């Protein structure tokens, strides 16, 4: 049965299907590269990554495209303040974003177009919209989309049930020049912004004079070039993007191309921190580096960010991260028992963490069903820990242990969880314990068994257990479960 996902447009749970033999066309609005992404942004990107992984394990290949917003008010302001060219400024934040994604085990998209690289395509799209009567230029050299020309405007966010409001501020915090009375209607939104002194040298020539594209336009242009004119199977973003950004993308693309922009819309709810909206002024805005500095591993952050159901706001606290670290430690212990039974080393686990050959029936069936049923990560983790808690390893023979490892590995792949990463082990273990454990391992390797044994006892007295496999060791709290 194909993966089912709630579709914002139809307000219903629908199967996610690509055309026969095709990769599923999945576009996500990407980061604005003007500073480090915060953990709220990563909640959205990690949920998108998890959905892609679930589809892959389910045998549905995905063509995943996520753009970079590298020209807007924030990037331009940041570049000017830093005294850098827009390109140099956004490059450094793009690199940081990529490094954070790698640490969080977020698969790179197959294509990552940038807005600045698509200026000619954006200009061509505006020209087309003007020609068709869907857009108009002002005397001052800006161009607006004529919302009244698109009958379906507002269908994604059910806007007609509310009042069409001036698009004075979009979810990127950009002003849409609402105070410009040249617009025909307050709801019209900007496609091309005339050059302003505060833009410095960041402008491009166009048939309407110097300026730069409006934010909404970039996605319509990049989707068209990345997917070569095909309708998207799936489009994702945080819930704040539903209106106006996605509504405007639909208007631009459908008016210009005369076909649906997308078949299925995937919006993830926001991350809150300590019960409040994340914001710099409240001092509750975290980046991955902030949490690393507090000793948490990127894997624990990934776990914490994907653990809640995507349609519900997730309240992030430091306690959530502690819980995530111990959940990962439990998964590691479970993996160790299975690997022992299968006669394999810790390093062999990697080979099991893959999208193919899932064998997800049997023991892990409920966890897998939960993922396929509207990406219910919270139920999936509950079901997974049900299996972990009743650890079947002792009753398995070698080949059964290997089969169980295959199914467990496919689930780990779908959730994007890596185990036995140095950071997880380290972040869970105090420095002095780590040092003693390492010393004991080295003593054992050099066959100084008396010393190794005495260090093991010291660690036990301090409440820590050592578990060796052929090529490595694990140190874990002696919580009586093992
Ligand atoms: P931006 O870099 O602001 O363009 O946002 C990148 C992505 O992060 C978009 O899909 C936003 O909807 C999403 N986003 C922004 N804030 C949050 C949040 N607090 N929780 C979850 N997603 C968010
Ligand atoms: Zn977009």
């Amino acid at each position: 049965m194909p993966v089912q996902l709630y579709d914002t447009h139809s307000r219903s749970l629908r199967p996610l299907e690509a055309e026969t033999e095709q990769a599923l066309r999945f576009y996500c609005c990407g980061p604005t590269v003007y500073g480090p992404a915060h953990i709220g942004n990563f909640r959205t990107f990690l949920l998108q990554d998890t959905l892609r992984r679930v589809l892959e394990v389910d045998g549905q290949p995905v063509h995943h495209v996520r753009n970079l917003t590298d020209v807007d008010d924030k990037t331009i302001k940041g570049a000017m303040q830093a005294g850098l060219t827009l390109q140099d400024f956004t490059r450094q934040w793009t690199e940081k974003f990529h490094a954070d994604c790698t640490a969080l085990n977020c698969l790179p998209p197959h294509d990552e177009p940038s807005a600045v690289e698509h200026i000619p395509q954006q200009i061509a799209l505006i020209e087309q919209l003007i020609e068709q009567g869907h857009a108009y230029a002002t005397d001052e050299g800006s161009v607006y989309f004529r919302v009244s020309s698109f009958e379906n405007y507002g269908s994604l966010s059910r806007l007609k049930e509310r009042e069409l409001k001036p698009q004075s501020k979009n979810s990127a915090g950009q002003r849409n020049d609402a105070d410009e009375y040249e617009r025909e209607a307050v709801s019209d939104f900007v496609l091309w912004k005339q050059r302003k002194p505060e833009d410095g040298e960041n402008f491009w020539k166009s048939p309407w004079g110097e300026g730069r594209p409006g934010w909404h336009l970039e996605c319509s242009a990049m989707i068209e070039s990345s997917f070569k004119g095909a309708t998207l199977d799936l489009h994702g973003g945080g819930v704040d993007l539903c209106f106006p950004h996605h509504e405007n993308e639909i208007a631009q693309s459908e008016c210009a191309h005369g076909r649906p922009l997308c078949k299925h819309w995937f919006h993830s709810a926001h991350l809150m921190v300590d019960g409040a909206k994340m914001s710099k002024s409240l001092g509750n805005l975290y980046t991955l580096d902030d949490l690393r500095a507090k000793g948490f591993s990127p894997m624990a952050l990934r776990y914490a960010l994907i653990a809640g159901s995507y349609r519900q706001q997730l309240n992030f606290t430091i306690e959530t991260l502690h819980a995530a670290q111990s959940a990962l430690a439990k998964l590691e212990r479970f993996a160790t028992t299975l690997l022992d039974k299968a006669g394999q080393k810790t390093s062999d686990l990697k080979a099991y963490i893959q999208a193919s050959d899932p064998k997800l029936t049997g023991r892990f069936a409920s966890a897998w069903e939960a993922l396929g049923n509207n990406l219910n990560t919270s139920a999936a983790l509950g079901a997974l820990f049900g299996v972990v808690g009743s650890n079947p390893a002792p009753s398995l023979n070698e080949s059964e242990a290997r089969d169980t490892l295959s199914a467990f590995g496919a689930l780990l792949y779908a959730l994007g969880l890596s185990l036995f990463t140095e950071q997880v082990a380290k972040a869970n273990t105090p420095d002095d314990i780590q040092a003693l454990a390492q010393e004991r391992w080295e003593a054992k390797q050099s066959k100084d068994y008396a010393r190794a044994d005495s260090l093991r006892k010291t660690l036990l007295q301090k409440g820590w257990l050592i578990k060796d496999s052929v090529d490595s060791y694990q140190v874990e709290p002696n919580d009586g479960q093992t």
Side-chain angles (χ1 to χ4, degrees):
M1 179 147 122
V3 171
Q4 305 274 323
L5 189 77
Y6 182 81
D7 165 32
T8 318
H9 200 280
S10 64
R11 304 285 196 270
S12 63
L13 200 62
R14 292 178 44 220
L16 254 185
E17 280 168 314
E19 282 162 38
T20 336
E21 312 272 312
Q22 292 279 336
L24 187 122
R25 301 182 188 101
F26 184 22
Y27 180 83
C28 300
C29 299
T32 309
V33 279
Y34 73 109
H38 57 65
I39 61 172
N41 302 136
F42 278 118
R43 175 177 204 219
T44 290
F45 296 133
L46 288 174
L47 286 166
Q48 292 162 348
D49 178 66
T50 306
L51 178 59
R52 165 180 162 185
R53 289 165 169 276
V54 168
L55 286 161
E56 287 176 359
V57 175
D58 197 46
Q60 171 59 65
V62 178
H63 185 68
H64 181 203
V65 177
R66 186 182 61 219
N67 77 299
L68 295 166
T69 297
D70 54 0
V71 51
D72 77 331
D73 292 348
K74 293 191 234 178
T75 44
I76 290 177
K77 192 169 161 203
M80 306 267 284
Q81 279 173 354
L84 292 173
T85 62
L86 184 62
Q87 208 186 15
D88 286 345
F89 178 73
T90 56
R91 188 186 304 114
Q92 75 188 21
W93 291 116
T94 301
E95 283 167 7
K96 175 64 184 149
F97 177 68
H98 288 161
D100 285 358
C101 282
T102 305
L104 290 164
N105 207 21
C106 199
L107 295 168
H110 301 100
D111 190 10
E112 195 178 44
S114 103
V116 163
E117 286 164 6
H118 287 79
I119 302 285
Q121 289 87 337
Q122 294 181 74
I123 292 177
L125 189 53
I126 300 176
E127 284 181 307
Q128 197 178 343
L129 289 167
I130 293 180
E131 238 174 72
Q132 295 166 324
H134 291 297
Y136 57 92
T138 65
D139 291 343
E140 290 182 357
S142 286
V143 181
Y144 287 93
F145 185 90
R146 183 178 282 125
V147 167
S148 63
S149 75
F150 181 50
E151 209 193 322
N152 274 342
Y153 191 83
S155 65
L156 178 68
S157 56
R158 303 283 200 269
L159 197 64
K160 292 229 166 92
E161 291 159 17
R162 307 196 302 266
E163 206 187 331
L164 263 183
K165 295 226 168 74
Q167 295 189 17
S168 56
K169 227 176 191 188
N170 61 34
S171 47
Q174 296 165 311
R175 288 194 307 117
N176 274 346
D177 299 330
D179 47 347
E180 285 185 17
Y181 50 83
E182 283 185 290
R183 276 194 289 175
E184 290 175 1
V186 285
S187 55
D188 290 354
F189 59 89
V190 74
L191 299 174
W192 186 261
K193 290 177 145 192
Q194 76 204 70
R195 183 182 171 189
K196 299 236 168 87
E198 59 268 30
D199 292 341
E201 294 308 300
N202 301 302
F203 63 87
W204 288 264
K205 289 202 168 97
S206 82
W208 318 284
E210 291 167 344
R212 62 189 166 97
W215 171 49
H216 309 295
L217 189 68
E218 62 176 48
C219 289
S220 287
M222 288 186 270
I223 290 169
E224 194 61 11
S225 37
S226 286
F227 291 94
K228 309 199 169 28
T231 289
L232 296 175
D233 295 306
L234 182 63
H235 191 320
V239 71
D240 56 308
L241 298 192
C242 189
F243 177 80
H245 183 59
H246 288 160
E247 210 68 81
N248 293 354
E249 278 186 28
I250 293 174
Q252 296 157 164
S253 296
E254 299 197 355
C255 286
H257 308 126
R259 66 180 127 74
L261 170 64
C262 177
K263 292 194 226 159
H264 206 126
W265 289 85
F266 171 43
H267 289 108
S268 35
H270 269 183
L271 181 80
M272 311 291 280
V273 173
D274 294 324
K277 194 171 185 287
M278 243 191 324
S279 80
K280 270 192 187 141
S281 56
L282 287 176
N284 65 359
L285 192 149
Y286 291 112
T287 64
L288 172 62
D289 285 351
D290 294 334
L291 297 169
R292 271 178 154 162
K294 290 182 189 293
F296 294 105
S297 69
M299 219 17 74
L301 179 61
R302 177 172 182 120
Y303 186 101
L305 291 177
I306 64 163
S309 282
Y310 79 90
R311 291 196 61 210
Q312 282 164 16
Q313 285 186 345
L314 180 73
N315 187 34
F316 176 85
T317 60
I318 290 296
E319 284 68 49
T320 339
L321 273 185
H322 283 294
Q325 304 252 82
S326 48
L328 287 171
K330 272 189 200 147
L331 292 179
E332 290 186 348
R333 272 176 257 162
F334 176 67
T336 304
T337 57
L338 283 176
L339 287 162
D340 280 353
K341 270 284 173 172
Q344 298 202 288
K345 300 178 286 203
T346 310
S347 54
D348 293 330
L349 182 68
K350 271 203 187 103
Y352 287 102
I353 303 184
Q354 52 172 312
S356 60
D357 193 23
K359 296 191 183 83
L360 278 164
T361 47
R363 220 162 251 123
F364 296 102
S366 320
W368 183 245
E369 273 161 28
L371 286 178
N373 184 13
N374 205 18
L375 194 66
N376 193 340
T377 45
S378 132
L381 287 168
L384 171 60
F385 277 97
V387 180
V388 169
S390 65
N391 192 355
S395 62
L396 302 179
N397 65 31
E398 192 176 313
S399 115
E400 287 165 341
R402 286 181 188 220
D403 284 350
T404 308
L405 274 167
S406 291
F408 179 54
L411 261 185
L412 290 179
Y413 178 89
L415 295 163
L417 298 176
S418 316
L419 300 182
F420 306 110
T421 58
E422 205 194 345
Q423 298 107 320
V424 172
K426 277 201 175 148
N428 275 319
T429 317
D431 288 349
D432 57 327
I433 302 297
Q434 268 176 52
L436 281 174
Q438 181 62 24
E439 207 180 319
R440 190 209 67 100
W441 176 251
E442 282 161 17
K444 188 179 168 192
Q445 294 312 101
S446 55
K447 303 200 174 1
D448 184 352
Y449 296 117
R451 175 144 184 78
D453 227 38
S454 126
L455 285 164
R456 177 193 283 279
K457 280 186 190 134
T458 311
L459 280 159
L460 203 57
Q461 278 159 9
K462 288 177 181 279
W464 293 84
L465 264 183
I466 296 285
K467 289 201 162 175
D468 288 339
S469 56
V470 186
D471 57 344
S472 67
Y473 66 92
Q474 251 187 290
V475 54
E476 56 189 53
N478 184 17
D479 54 12
Q481 289 177 24
T482 44

